[in-house]
Amino acid sequence: MERTAAAFSLPRIRFIRKRVTFLLSTFSVLLLVFAWWLVVRLHLVSPLFVPAPGAVWNAFISTAGEPYRGHTLLVHVGISLYRVIVAFIAALVVSIPLGLAIGRYWWLDALMQPLINFYRPLPPLAYYTLLVIWLGIGDASKVALLFLAAIPALVINTAAGVHAVRREMVNAALSLGADKWQVFLHVIFPATLPYVFTGIRIALAFTYTTLVAAELVAATSGIGWMVLDASRFLRSDIIFMGIIIMGVTGMVLDYIVVLLQHRFVPWLGKA
Amino acid sequence: MTSNPLSRKSETASTSGVTPAKRLVIDDVSFSYETRDGLVEALAKIALTIEPGEFICCVGPSGCGKTTLLHLIAGFLTPTTGTMTLGATPVRQPGPDRGVVFQQPTLYPWMTVADNVAFGPRMRHLPKEEQRRRVDHYLQLVGLQAFAQRAPYELSGGMQQRVAIARVLANDPTFLLMDEPFGALDALTRERLQEELLKIWRATRSAVFFITHSAEEAVFLATRVIVMSARPGRILLDRKVGFSRRVGMKPREIRADQEFIAVREEIIERIYSSEETP
Ligand SMILES: Nc1ncnc2c1ncn2[C@@H]1O[C@H](COP(=O)(O)OP(=O)(O)OP(=O)(O)O)[C@@H](O)[C@H]1O
Ligand SMILES: [Mg+2]
């Protein structure tokens, strides 16, 4: 009994589970690629519909090396990321103070509530058409679109974070001599950070999806546009490659946010 | 700048702007919580005057309204009826003159232990040097100087409560409100902190409102013990005791003193009888 208990102590189980998780995840990816390869190999579908993994890899190598319709792959991805990041930072700068204020002042909540509730469920592409008319087909309309797409999740989560602050946290600060502004800065704002990060993850994923969709509708560059353009020439190898790049980029963006969350909210789930 | 805590009061009173101790008058205060099922009457007609320098220990059955009374004094709640005045002004909101140690420690997880203790002095813009001195002094007092740079959630419940006590003492309040501050501590630490608290109280002449479930602790610390009835809380017994003023005697001798035991038993009996009331 003693030995079993020692061999399966909690940190040990966690360690083993991490290893197994990694192996299983790798396995599922490899299995998918293998199934894909097999389908093509056995000529189950036309390579026009599903290109071979090797063809997709070649498309990656060639577009990485030489420009595809003006830009290399890296530049197309970079253009897309640039649009997301500029718009997202602008959205953060506006949404977090707005969310904090909405969480704090009921009348501001009442004023903003109908506006946010109305435009939040709208598919961004619906008002994108308007933005293109107003701002043209270039970066301005896209950045504006992404900015608008990011705002609701950020504002709503930040405001929810303010509502969730424990009353005693505020009371403790007041009875230690903090004034209203200090309470806001040193207690309420840090206490909302876990919610803010939840909002950031949701909003970033949504913004990224919206970007690709917008590039599919109207653009002359970017990873989404690349896929759209390839479809006109039935280049399914480039379409596949583009989709994989989009997925991986989205995962990397999310992972960066998770890392930032560990850095800025180390107490999550512990206090 | 001496490190003697006893001489601290006079030198910091001017820099921190804390007003001298005042008399607290609680005049027929009652309090009801609003809940979904209507009003819950927590306190009924409490009348109590606390003079500067008094050490009040409040005991009573669980749920009788002790915390509610403390939160009223702190200014977190407003009386449903009755008035509460501190000196000449009504109690309306929390302030640094009334330091609160909560029943559950409410430390800020985004700050280190040291920054938590420095919170009050920092908010009140005391000089950096003075802030550091107080952090060192009070962490030392609660035996946690080795944990200054840790995060609060890396400490045990009892250690967190000690940080919360240090945080309030570092802010130099003239009225200390403590809600079962030593409840989560081992007997040894508890007795040591009781004695330290008495030292601080004697040196500063602050008033203390101290909630406890231990009659022994109440009789050891208090100049007055208040026993409350089951909800809605009323004051059943308001008794002067004098053991905390016996400076010459060793704590061990006091606790073993015949008179001490007699008073303690009297209080315990009163608590038991309060719980029987339906
Ligand atoms: N926020 C609240 N909303 C509604 N009712 C409350 C609230 N807080 C306390 N009460 C009620 O008020 C009564 C007094 O509560 P209080 O916390 O003051 O008791 P207490 O004497 O401190 O108890 P304990 O010794 O267990 O800490 C309780 O019966 C409780 O049901
Ligand atoms: Mg209580």
Side-chain angles (χ1 to χ4, degrees), chain A residues 119-131:
Chain A
Y119 107 85
R120 184 169 64 122
L122 286 180
L125 288 189
Y127 52 83
Y128 183 45
T129 47
L130 266 184
L131 292 172

Side-chain angles (χ1 to χ4, degrees), chain B residues 61-68 71 103 179-180 211 213:
Chain B
S62 177
C64 75
K66 302 182 293 296
T67 298
T68 306
H71 284 187
Q103 197 161 357
D179 199 344
E180 300 183 35
I211 297 174
H213 276 291

